[in-house]
Amino acid sequence: MSLLSVDLLDSFFKKEKETALFGRWIRLADITPVILKHEKNTSVKQIGFSEQQRPIYSIQLGTGKKKILIWSQMHGNESTGTKVIFDLLNTLTQSEAPCIQQILTTCTLQIIPMLNPDGAEVYTRVNSKKVDLNRDAVERSAIESRILRNALDTFQPDFSFNLHDQRTIFGVEGTTKPATISFLAPSEDVDRALTAGRIQTMNIIVAMNNLLQQVIPNGVGRYTDEFYPTATGDNFQKLGYNTVLIEAGHYPNDYEREMTRKYHFFALLQGIYHIAMNDDYTSYKRYFDIPNNVKNFYDVVHRYPNQTKNCVAYQYEEKIIKNKLVFDLQKVMEKQIENPLSHNEIVFDS
Ligand SMILES: [Zn+2]
């Protein structure tokens, strides 16, 4: 296991964070100038157009034998991974640190920073034809699904990273912490068999989790490995392409996901470095030490001591109103319940 130092990761993030990108609503117009900036140090290509004719880009760098494919924002309203990709690109192209040079000489990275630009434009999970791209891996009814599959077939990566965001409702089982980062090594079949490929995917996750436990102890969850027959990761894994799912989640008081962005960046760079430095990816058992991701959090809870009156819980609904992203509080539960977990709690006197 080759772990990067937290101090080094901190210094990379401070220096190379892409300041042009901030917050939750990231659209094609936000990333286009940043992509063009990278044209001088990387190979930038348009690999197709979305249903509404927005360009989809890939960015390639590195000269090594190990091939790594990374894509983000296949769900248009899940942008943390996109921010992380550009923090990573700045680091890979600017830093002369030995670990970065090691990555660039051992690996070739192909990065698709926004697979669903139409969904990103209007802040929806689905594409403009209401297709959930992460449930379209078999049928491939959407142009965007075919573009991703074509990238997979032509690049033939050794490892892939599929970057998503999860809602604030997710916590880490057995703790009182939100799931700031969650992982999954997807199953290839309904029996959730531990295939050689899946074990390799787990091995990368173990390395990322070991790093994260130093900075967000108990803040990492593991997704259910129930087989989803139409999901992207499950199908890519089944085709023999090891695919790590990363879900960016909530960090206390961080609804813009800028702290989560930092830890996501730490995890992704650690995962890539681990791939670069190792040739044996067979150790996996500590993957199952990562606690389950559970739905156990509310955004806001109003409650009374000793359950004297009903406890009322609220969840933010994210909406675009007058061209702004608004967090709109919706009541979702009212009952007698002891100490529900919430990101914001108000306890009334009686
Ligand atoms: Zn998603």
Side-chain angles (χ1 to χ4, degrees):
M1 176 99 40
S2 324
L3 278 189
L4 291 165
S5 93
V6 171
D7 286 346
L8 182 65
L9 288 166
D10 250 324
S11 74
F12 285 152
F13 189 73
K14 269 203 195 91
K15 201 157 168 234
E16 307 300 350
K17 178 179 173 175
E18 178 50 67
T19 52
L21 304 174
F22 178 88
R24 296 291 292 279
W25 192 15
I26 306 288
R27 288 170 278 186
L28 182 65
D30 301 313
I31 66 166
T32 306
V34 193
I35 291 173
L36 298 179
K37 177 183 90 173
H38 285 291
E39 266 183 336
K40 58 179 188 297
N41 292 320
T42 67
S43 163
V44 175
K45 282 197 188 111
Q46 277 188 7
I47 52 171
F49 290 87
S50 67
E51 299 280 0
Q52 292 180 335
Q53 295 302 307
R54 291 189 175 86
I56 294 169
Y57 292 95
S58 88
I59 302 165
Q60 194 165 311
L61 71 170
T63 54
K65 278 208 299 256
K66 298 176 184 178
K67 289 185 280 183
I68 300 174
L69 179 66
I70 306 171
W71 67 92
S72 70
Q73 238 170 321
M74 71 189 308
H75 290 144
N77 57 355
E78 299 178 7
S79 59
T80 307
T82 303
K83 295 188 288 186
V84 169
I85 275 176
F86 288 104
D87 302 337
L88 177 74
L89 275 167
N90 285 349
T91 307
L92 293 176
T93 55
Q94 299 306 314
S95 171
E96 286 171 5
C99 61
I100 299 301
Q101 297 317 308
Q102 186 78 34
I103 288 172
L104 293 173
T105 52
T106 337
C107 304
T108 300
L109 293 99
Q110 190 176 121
I111 300 174
I112 304 171
M114 184 182 280
L115 186 66
N116 179 7
D118 298 348
E121 188 65 26
V122 290
Y123 203 74
T124 58
R125 174 182 177 89
V126 294
N127 80 346
S128 65
K129 298 212 161 147
K130 304 219 177 330
V131 176
D132 181 337
L133 302 183
N134 202 23
R135 296 288 179 270
D136 190 37
V138 175
E139 195 184 347
R140 299 196 285 287
S141 66
I143 288 176
E144 296 88 352
S145 305
R146 297 196 286 275
I147 288 170
L148 178 62
R149 179 57 182 271
N150 188 44
L152 183 86
D153 288 341
T154 50
F155 188 56
Q156 303 196 335
D158 299 292
F159 290 97
S160 293
F161 293 89
N162 179 11
L163 309 186
H164 289 256
D165 275 73
Q166 61 185 345
R167 292 193 294 153
T168 53
I169 54 175
F170 288 102
V172 179
E173 190 173 56
T175 78
T176 55
K177 295 278 184 74
T180 300
I181 298 287
S182 297
F183 294 114
L184 173 67
S187 294
E188 298 176 24
D189 52 46
V190 287
D191 300 327
R192 312 176 191 196
L194 285 175
T195 61
R198 210 175 154 223
I199 281 172
Q200 295 181 343
T201 302
M202 289 175 181
N203 173 273
I204 310 306
I205 292 173
V206 169
M208 292 191 287
N209 180 54
N210 285 347
L211 188 283
L212 284 179
Q213 291 301 332
Q214 299 175 51
V215 284
I216 44 167
N218 298 323
V220 182
R222 175 168 55 90
Y223 253 89
T224 168
D225 60 358
E226 181 189 343
F227 179 64
Y228 285 92
T230 59
T232 304
D234 306 48
N235 278 282
F236 285 12
Q237 190 69 59
K238 192 169 151 185
L239 288 166
Y241 296 107
N242 300 334
T243 305
V244 175
L245 175 74
I246 305 181
E247 294 273 356
H250 189 69
Y251 182 84
N253 301 315
D254 181 36
Y255 280 89
E256 300 291 358
R257 301 237 160 135
E258 290 293 315
M259 288 301 289
T260 301
R261 168 187 190 167
K262 174 172 150 173
Y263 299 126
H264 189 321
F265 167 80
F266 284 18
L268 184 59
L269 189 51
Q270 174 60 59
I272 293 167
Y273 182 63
H274 178 78
I275 293 169
M277 294 296 289
N278 293 282
D279 290 308
D280 178 359
Y281 309 106
T282 54
S283 148
Y284 71 94
K285 290 204 168 130
R286 292 185 60 194
Y287 174 78
F288 292 101
D289 294 344
I290 305 172
N292 289 315
N293 229 39
V294 282
K295 284 184 193 170
N296 61 354
F297 263 95
Y298 298 101
D299 283 314
V300 178
V301 161
H302 292 170
R303 68 179 181 89
Y304 296 84
N306 307 321
Q307 299 185 61
T308 44
K309 289 181 192 166
N310 276 350
C311 160
V312 186
Y314 302 83
Q315 211 65 47
Y316 285 117
E317 203 174 288
E318 294 155 30
K319 292 177 177 167
I320 303 296
I321 298 174
K322 291 186 180 160
N323 208 33
K324 274 216 164 82
L325 176 61
V326 174
F327 291 85
D328 188 22
L329 211 53
Q330 303 282 334
K331 187 164 126 180
V332 292
M333 187 270 283
E334 179 170 354
K335 63 178 172 191
Q336 300 262 336
I337 180 173
E338 203 180 351
N339 297 335
L341 287 172
S342 68
H343 304 304
N344 304 278
E345 184 183 61
I346 297 169
V347 183
F348 295 110
D349 284 346
S350 59

